[in-house]
Amino acid sequence: MTNWKQHHHGDLMRHFLNTSDYARAELQAMIDEARAMKASPLGTALQGKTIALLFLNNSLRTRTSFDVGAQQLGGHAVVLSPSGGMWPLEFEEGAIMDGEAEEHAKEAAAVLSRYCDIIGVRAFPKFENWEEDRKDKILNAFARHASVPVINMETITHPCQEMAHMMALQERFEADELGKTDGKKFVLTWTYHPKPLNTAVANSALMIAAKFGFDVTLLCPTEEYVLDRRYMEQASKDCKANGRSLSVVHDIDAAYADADVVYAKSWGALPYFGDWAPEKEIRDQYKHFIVDEEKMQKTNNALVSHCLPMRRNVKITDAVFDGPTCIAYEEAENRLHVQKAIMTALVGNR
Ligand code: CP
């Protein structure tokens, strides 16, 4: 799905679906703008603008930060969700709509485009068949049929989260005089969770680290936990272009050795999508992938983070999460600032 489209007023406009659709310099400009907005939060860039926030899944941070961010810039947010009374939607092209759905995404996207200036979409996978889920049908249906910019608020990737993460890394690298991200070692570690979770944050973390010049290590229990080929290929391509490497490691000590950043996330193994009982048997053997002090001692005093929500003492120990190297709260706060910068880049008053 291309991220450029024609607005119904005729101008060219751009979606924000994935960081891979943007050059590093464009993303950096948004992060720089977000840092300026963090220093001076109120403005008029979204005066008279409305954003529709379509939530097909739960949220604490995304919902709050988009709503507050729009308000701080003079805009307004409308939250829509099936539990909040929205009509059930159909997303399949050519569907015979004789089931539960009362409205097709085509009409919903087109009509919301007549009321609103941006549409944000959160739609997690169905967790039944990865070959279907990886098509990201709901986001792509809105991107295709909306005539205003669409922002991915987490589907099978989570680009806003990883922009906030990169901003937090740059802030802390600068404050601690650690230099640039280029050439530093970024470890994305799988961690245990009692349920099989979405790969979205892991996919986006891998891509943003690769784009910003890190040497990237994906630490996961077995080959079955390697991420989707689309994101592995994109990260590998970006690492190569930056003269860096992407490696997949199953050895915990090797992965943590000399790491500068440890990013923790749990996800379900893709080959088991829809057949989770055997995956759980494997997953249950790897509870020791928890991020703890012993592992962190092997690193180069690495910064550690997580997108939240996070199960304490299952994914990361209290000692590490509440310690001085954890930047998860900065990352969560930066969702607000970076999304303001993204909304401004897409539709802001200049
Ligand atoms: N990290 C994140 O997207 O949080 P929510 O699911 O609470 O929005």
Side-chain angles (χ1 to χ4, degrees):
M1 168 62 60
T2 173
N3 66 337
W4 283 102
K5 267 199 79 172
Q6 194 159 28
H7 192 281
H8 60 257
H9 294 145
D11 304 337
L12 265 186
M13 58 163 216
R14 207 168 178 191
H15 295 312
F16 190 79
L17 306 180
N18 276 302
T19 52
S20 55
D21 298 328
Y22 286 77
R24 177 176 174 175
E26 293 174 309
L27 300 176
Q28 187 61 58
M30 291 180 195
I31 292 173
D32 293 344
E33 174 84 343
R35 289 184 69 170
M37 288 175 167
K38 191 171 185 174
S40 178
L42 303 182
T44 56
L46 297 178
Q47 192 88 52
K49 308 281 183 186
T50 301
I51 176 166
L53 303 175
L54 179 64
F55 280 99
L56 302 185
N57 307 93
N58 295 342
S59 168
L60 183 148
R61 280 145 288 272
T62 306
R63 181 175 168 164
T64 313
S65 54
F66 267 107
D67 193 345
V68 171
Q71 283 185 49
Q72 288 185 349
L73 295 179
H76 175 67
V78 178
V79 177
L80 298 162
S81 68
S83 60
M86 199 179 79
W87 296 112
L89 291 176
E90 173 64 58
F91 301 98
E92 294 285 344
E93 290 287 333
I96 297 168
M97 290 177 55
D98 58 358
E100 282 301 302
E102 291 291 345
E103 175 153 43
H104 200 283
K106 281 186 185 184
E107 287 81 68
V111 172
L112 286 175
S113 299
R114 302 299 174 108
Y115 302 145
C116 301
D117 301 281
I118 300 179
I119 302 173
V121 177
R122 167 164 285 197
F124 292 175
K126 288 187 180 158
F127 291 96
E128 288 165 2
N129 175 349
W130 178 246
E131 287 307 315
E132 281 303 303
D133 280 334
R134 77 189 293 277
K135 294 176 188 164
D136 217 356
K137 278 185 189 166
I138 298 176
L139 182 69
N140 285 328
F142 272 88
R144 192 175 309 116
H145 299 299
S147 53
V148 297
V150 171
I151 296 180
N152 178 351
M153 300 197 300
E154 190 177 355
T155 59
I156 57 170
T157 56
H158 198 354
C160 295
Q161 186 70 47
E162 297 321 311
M163 288 287 279
H165 176 54
M166 188 51 58
M167 178 174 163
L169 285 178
Q170 291 183 356
E171 288 172 322
R172 190 63 86 89
F173 271 45
E174 206 173 288
D176 294 351
E177 299 183 355
L178 295 171
K180 289 188 162 220
T181 53
D182 295 73
K184 299 285 195 305
K185 181 174 176 181
F186 184 102
V187 179
L188 169 61
T189 178
W190 179 93
T191 56
Y192 175 75
H193 188 288
K195 295 179 193 162
L197 300 184
N198 196 355
T199 54
V201 169
N203 294 331
S204 289
L206 198 76
M207 288 195 291
I208 202 90
K211 181 155 300 221
F212 279 78
F214 281 96
D215 269 317
V216 183
T217 297
L218 170 61
L219 169 63
C220 55
T222 68
E223 283 300 303
E224 292 157 311
Y225 286 85
V226 169
L227 297 167
D228 184 87
R229 58 191 180 276
R230 181 191 297 148
Y231 307 114
M232 295 300 292
E233 283 165 14
Q234 181 67 47
S236 176
K237 199 173 109 197
D238 284 347
C239 280
K240 251 186 218 139
N242 289 326
R244 309 294 170 200
S245 63
L246 168 66
S247 48
V248 176
V249 174
H250 305 307
D251 180 274
I252 293 174
D253 289 349
Y256 275 75
D258 297 322
D260 297 293
V261 178
V262 174
Y263 199 64
K265 184 70 186 81
S266 188
W267 61 89
L270 299 179
Y272 295 92
F273 252 61
D275 184 21
W276 294 110
E279 196 266 357
K280 182 154 173 53
E281 279 180 30
I282 302 170
R283 189 157 24 94
D284 283 352
Q285 295 168 36
Y286 292 96
K287 293 182 180 175
H288 59 285
F289 270 60
I290 186 170
V291 180
D292 58 19
E293 282 177 299
E294 194 186 328
K295 294 186 189 72
M296 292 304 292
Q297 273 164 14
K298 299 178 200 304
T299 70
N300 185 24
N301 197 29
L303 298 174
V304 63
S305 199
H306 187 281
C307 61
L308 307 179
M310 185 213 47
R311 292 193 183 218
R312 281 174 174 264
N313 302 309
V314 172
K315 291 174 161 187
I316 304 180
T317 60
D318 283 343
V320 172
F321 191 82
D322 295 329
T325 59
C326 182
I327 57 168
Y329 292 127
E330 282 105 308
E331 178 173 330
E333 181 190 333
N334 288 346
R335 291 288 305 277
L336 171 66
H337 309 301
V338 91
Q339 290 160 191
K340 285 163 70 178
I342 293 166
M343 290 190 280
T344 299
L346 298 182
V347 303
N349 303 313
R350 296 289 176 188

